[in-house]
Amino acid sequence: MKVPVLIPRIFDHPHTYSSGKFGKLKPGSIVLVPFGKEKEIGVIWDKQEETKKKFEIKSILEKKSISFNENIIKFINWFSLYNLVPKGMVLKMFLGDRSFFSKNFDLSPDIATKKKIKFHLNAQQKKCLKDINSFGNKFNVTLLQGVTGSGKTIVYFEKIREKILKNKQTLVLLPEIFLTSQFNKRFEDYFGFKPAVWHSKITKKNRRTMWQNIMNGKIKLVVGARSSLFLPFKNLGLIVVDEEHDSSYKQDEGIRYNARDMAIYRASIENIPILLSTSIPSLETYRNVKNKKYNFTKLEKRYKNFSLPNTEIVNLSLSKKNKNIWLDIKTLSLVKKYLDKKEQVLFFLNRRGYAPFMICKNCGTKLSCPNCSIFLTFHKHLNKAMCHHCGYKTNTKQICKKTNLNCEFQMYGPGVEKIFSELKQIFPDKIIKILSSDFLNKKKESLNLLNDIERNKINILVGTQLISKGFNFPNLNCIVVVDADFSGMGFDLRSNEKNIQLYNQLSGRAGRFSKDSLIIYQTFDPSDKTLNSILENKQEKFFEEEIYLREQKNLPPFSRLIAFIISSKNERESYLEAQKIKRSLSPLKGVDIMGPVSSPIFKIKNKYRTRLLLRSKSNIFIQKDISKILKKINISKKIKLTVDVDPLNFS
Ligand SMILES: [Zn+2]
Ligand SMILES: [Zn+2]
């Protein structure tokens, strides 16, 4: 009997095999097949590929005792079409490692039971839970909104508990960076066992045990980063996407997809409810709530009723005399009050390193990366200049075109290390630490640092965006935003929205256990629109204005964007191939194709990058037609084509 088998490689169609002695095989059965000179794990697929080519049909070698359910096949088919990714590559994410199919299948997951701590829901939390329950157990999307510290987690924990009692599985998606020990501890306290945590750094053995026990339904609760969306749940009953607005749900390398959106589709295929939790939603989610596509429930107040921090603007253009000093006198006097009370202060600056530019004062050379078209950032603790795209490092010695001696580089702009050294001079007896990815490479060190912060052993923290995430710092009552200037940052149509979300989250970090907390914004432009939206804290007004702008400019969610990035070692080749792809796509009806243009970051890792941007109406599923065209055109082997559906990043 002929059967279609999908192989986890770069094919969009299943291959035909003979089922031989295994007879009739159901779609989803996992098998071992000969492939070229190798053996490969494959899955019996739902549809046969029609082909006129004649070729020898080989027999299936082995049938595994486990299989995927129909929903997984549906999800893979849909995911592949939506994101324009070959089906085989999506299957590969589901199959994981070959060792998952080894014989020792019955390993029990390590579920050590601990003592549960009793949590009591307050009236608001009870109301939210009641709302959620009233939306039913079939597919529906609910936004659970509440300011940081209002206790959203406990509301969805309660819902998860109910699913566990009914023997159903739950997936909680979190941005990778939130999968902290603090979060796991809350889980443990609540449920009395450790959650199965799935992310990129777990060991191979743990990965296998977890995968197998998720497939046989023994593991009831998985907390994971976006890749956990590709786990073979047997009996999924609920999905929770926490921090749903977080842009790290968008996978921007390799296979590109938005994990939040794909989670919603997975829930619809499984016909189960999905909860989106956040303090400020993404604009799309906000609009879907407004249009009644999503349900909505809200926690109005912070958990113990502490108010949000007060705000203060420090106008740098009035006071800044020394070009290379970034901390204002007024800022420092406000900060000192908190330090005198032995409370923590955070200086927030979303720039790693010491200085983002280095310019020679004699010849004017700006140090830039030889592999990418961007400037190098100086890192003082390494004493090297570094590229934040490819990791290239160099010492800063260079022969000067003007003096023939070494260039004399001057640093421009602040980075966290620069703020650290300014603070060290002003507060020499305070304990000051930097919290950025460069300083948190080792797990143990970062745990120690977080513990020290929690126990108030650190007086001043200097941190990047990392700090705005999920951590709980009980003594932090004052935050300084060093550089609150929002114009011209990044290549992202969502930058306003993202800033609103980021600063909302950041201010939620302060004053969780105090009535007197403060957030200081240092800026050269106190009239800036984004800054004032943040200060006003009128999210609704901001969203309405932003939606109006998007509609005027025909941007998502009023249209669908699909980016094509054509990269090549050869600059001309990248451009010519982009033109060719544009010509092939031009017969599509109801779309504009913009470009080809050079990417804002034109060169990355020695590859030149040209972009096309396709815009279509949001109510037509244009991917189907694009997929047909892409299959027909011969794309040069010398280029790499990346398709990005619903792109967030335009660099
Ligand atoms: Zn580089
Ligand atoms: Zn020079």
Side-chain angles (χ1 to χ4, degrees), residues 369 371-372 387 389-392:
C369 178
N371 311 319
C372 312
C387 170
H389 264 269
C390 69
Y392 171 85

Side-chain angles (χ1 to χ4, degrees), residues 621-637:
F621 194 58
I622 196 76
Q623 285 95 321
K624 245 183 197 165
D625 298 324
I626 294 176
S627 157
K628 277 183 203 150
I629 291 174
L630 289 181
K631 273 177 193 163
K632 274 185 218 148
I633 50 177
N634 260 326
I635 291 166
S636 160
K637 292 241 157 38

Side-chain angles (χ1 to χ4, degrees), residues 354-560:
Y354 187 87
F357 305 107
M358 300 171 70
I359 304 170
C360 170
K361 70 173 185 188
N362 300 316
C363 69
T365 297
K366 268 192 191 176
L367 257 194
S368 63
C369 178
N371 311 319
C372 312
S373 56
I374 58 171
F375 297 118
L376 297 180
T377 298
F378 183 63
H379 284 249
K380 201 174 183 185
H381 79 292
L382 301 169
N383 195 23
K384 287 209 156 79
M386 196 167 131
C387 170
H388 287 176
H389 264 269
C390 69
Y392 171 85
K393 283 188 201 116
T394 178
N395 62 34
T396 53
K397 282 203 181 120
Q398 193 166 316
I399 297 297
C400 187
K401 283 179 233 159
K402 208 148 193 187
T403 63
N404 271 328
L405 302 165
N406 281 332
C407 271
E408 289 182 72
F409 286 108
Q410 287 190 321
M411 312 287 175
Y412 287 91
V416 281
E417 291 179 334
K418 168 77 172 96
I419 299 304
F420 175 85
S421 62
E422 277 186 35
L423 285 165
K424 257 293 153 252
Q425 281 191 348
I426 301 160
F427 301 110
D429 54 343
K430 297 290 177 206
I431 299 168
I432 310 174
K433 292 276 176 187
I434 298 179
L435 199 109
S436 91
S437 55
D438 296 298
F439 293 84
L440 288 183
N441 292 329
K442 289 183 195 113
K443 203 178 169 196
K444 207 178 157 210
E445 277 172 33
S446 48
L447 275 181
N448 287 344
L449 178 58
L450 292 173
N451 274 334
D452 285 353
I453 299 170
E454 238 185 302
R455 284 194 231 122
N456 208 11
K457 283 187 181 166
I458 285 163
N459 308 117
I460 303 175
L461 261 174
V462 186
T464 60
Q465 190 159 350
L466 210 85
I467 200 101
S468 66
K469 314 278 183 179
F471 307 117
N472 178 22
F473 302 140
N475 298 299
L476 176 63
N477 289 323
C478 176
I479 296 179
V480 179
V481 178
V482 175
D483 183 14
D485 281 294
F486 300 106
S487 51
M489 290 217 274
F491 316 101
D492 187 339
L493 71 96
R494 287 168 173 80
S495 52
N496 280 340
E497 182 191 337
K498 268 166 121 172
N499 278 320
I500 298 273
Q501 288 151 352
L502 169 67
Y503 287 97
N504 177 274
Q505 216 162 35
L506 191 68
S507 66
R509 297 272 77 84
R512 295 186 77 164
F513 301 95
S514 161
K515 285 189 190 98
D516 174 30
S517 57
L518 177 67
I519 178 159
I520 303 163
Y521 294 93
Q522 295 198 136
T523 180
F524 285 101
D525 183 8
S527 66
D528 179 80
K529 216 177 139 228
T530 309
L531 176 61
N532 283 287
S533 301
I534 294 168
L535 292 173
E536 279 182 352
N537 200 22
K538 284 185 188 143
Q539 297 149 21
E540 196 130 342
K541 186 175 154 229
F542 166 79
F543 276 124
E544 291 304 325
E545 282 174 9
E546 190 74 11
I547 285 175
Y548 175 77
L549 279 178
R550 299 258 185 105
E551 190 167 16
Q552 292 296 304
K553 293 181 184 164
N554 194 17
L555 290 168
F558 297 93
S559 63
R560 164 161 289 126

Side-chain angles (χ1 to χ4, degrees), residues 20-31:
K21 63 177 177 187
F22 302 106
K24 200 163 185 258
L25 286 171
K26 271 212 290 196
S29 305
I30 298 176
V31 292

Side-chain angles (χ1 to χ4, degrees), residues 204-237:
K204 217 171 163 177
K205 189 176 164 255
N206 273 338
R207 204 168 262 275
R208 185 180 74 219
T209 319
M210 275 177 62
W211 192 88
Q212 293 173 342
N213 284 293
I214 288 165
M215 192 161 197
N216 65 21
K218 276 191 189 158
I219 288 182
K220 294 284 181 283
L221 175 53
V222 178
V223 185
R226 56 188 176 224
S227 60
S228 56
L229 195 57
F230 305 99
L231 286 167
F233 291 96
K234 189 187 177 196
N235 188 13
L236 203 54

Side-chain angles (χ1 to χ4, degrees), residues 92-108:
K92 194 174 173 191
M93 296 196 280
F94 265 96
L95 285 175
D97 201 291
R98 179 74 71 89
S99 76
F100 291 177
F101 302 94
S102 61
K103 290 222 168 59
N104 46 350
F105 194 70
D106 241 334
L107 287 164
S108 278

